[in-house]
Amino acid sequence: MIGIIVPAHNEELYLDDCIKSLIAAAGHEDLGGEAVEILIVLDDCSDSSAQIARAHGVHTHPCNHRNVGMTRAAGARRMLDRGARWLAFTDADTVVPYAWLAEQIAFGADAVCGIVQVDDWSEHTPQVRERYDALYRPVDDHRHIHGANLGVSSDAYLRAGGFKALAAHEDVHLVADLERIGARIVWTARNSVTTSARKHCRCKEGFGDYLNSLATQTLLG
């Protein structure tokens, strides 16, 4: 079984599109009919995120961590307990492509680090987008790490010690631990996911804060 884990904190504006894309990816013919379970980890949600998830018939798990490392770890633990052999992680404000899961599995690696793209820059100035494009490397063998596009075998995840209880950069630390144990990691530019560039981000020091920092650098620069 393949487990997909999505942390969500008040994501009613984005969650429906996210889940629809995950359901489509779970049905890819190259998966050979293998079971895929989607888990939305509802972290201190006070909006309609839970109702949206349940309307799609996916698994949900409520918690009150307000800590993305703990939230991802809780989701991984539930999927491991259900027998998942592969753990795929994305974010609730993200849409994955149809071949997302199939491509991850096809690599036969211990972990797969993918890239992200933004399709709506309307909250930012053109200068922010230009600076982002100048710094980002959407090519194979990149070294970008995104919790919104990450897959890892259950065995490697456990050997690496899983996600740490960090409020930010939990994905970076996991990949560092995977490297430490000698895991085979694929850094691919295939199957880029589409994520939000919103200014009011849910995770401090996450992707949204990175974009906001580029805005500050542009003003100073």
Side-chain angles (χ1 to χ4, degrees), residues 3 7 15 40 47 53 68 86 89 102 109 118 124-125 131 149 159-160 162 168 201 210 213 219:
L15 190 56
I40 310 301
D47 66 352
V68 69
W86 182 266
F89 298 91
V118 173
H124 297 275
T125 66
R131 184 161 181 79
N149 195 354
R159 288 190 291 118
C201 45
Y210 170 68
S213 75
L219 290 172

Side-chain angles (χ1 to χ4, degrees), residues 21-35:
S21 73
L22 294 175
I23 291 172
H28 195 284
E29 57 274 9
D30 287 351
L31 294 175
E34 181 173 0

Side-chain angles (χ1 to χ4, degrees), residues 45-113:
C45 289
S46 58
D47 66 352
S48 62
S49 293
Q51 293 93 317
I52 292 169
R54 290 168 188 149
H56 284 287
V58 299
H59 297 282
T60 61
H61 173 64
C63 63
N64 290 285
H65 299 310
R66 293 302 300 273
N67 176 294
V68 69
M70 294 176 68
T71 303
R72 288 197 203 277
R77 187 162 52 249
R78 286 182 66 87
M79 287 291 98
L80 290 169
D81 288 345
R82 294 183 63 81
R85 68 177 183 93
W86 182 266
L87 304 173
F89 298 91
T90 191
D91 290 337
D93 64 341
T94 301
V95 170
V96 308
Y98 176 55
W100 183 63
L101 276 183
E103 291 278 2
Q104 284 190 7
I105 300 299
F107 282 116
D110 293 312
V112 177
C113 293

Side-chain angles (χ1 to χ4, degrees), residues 6-7 11 14-22 72 89-97 100 115-117 146-149 191-198 207:
V6 184
E11 292 285 6
Y14 296 93
L15 190 56
D16 187 64
D17 287 341
C18 174
I19 295 174
K20 286 177 180 176
S21 73
L22 294 175
R72 288 197 203 277
F89 298 91
T90 191
D91 290 337
D93 64 341
T94 301
V95 170
V96 308
W100 183 63
I115 61 171
V116 302
Q117 62 185 5
H146 301 285
N149 195 354
N191 265 351
S192 172
V193 303
T194 302
T195 197
S196 165
R198 60 188 175 190
F207 185 68

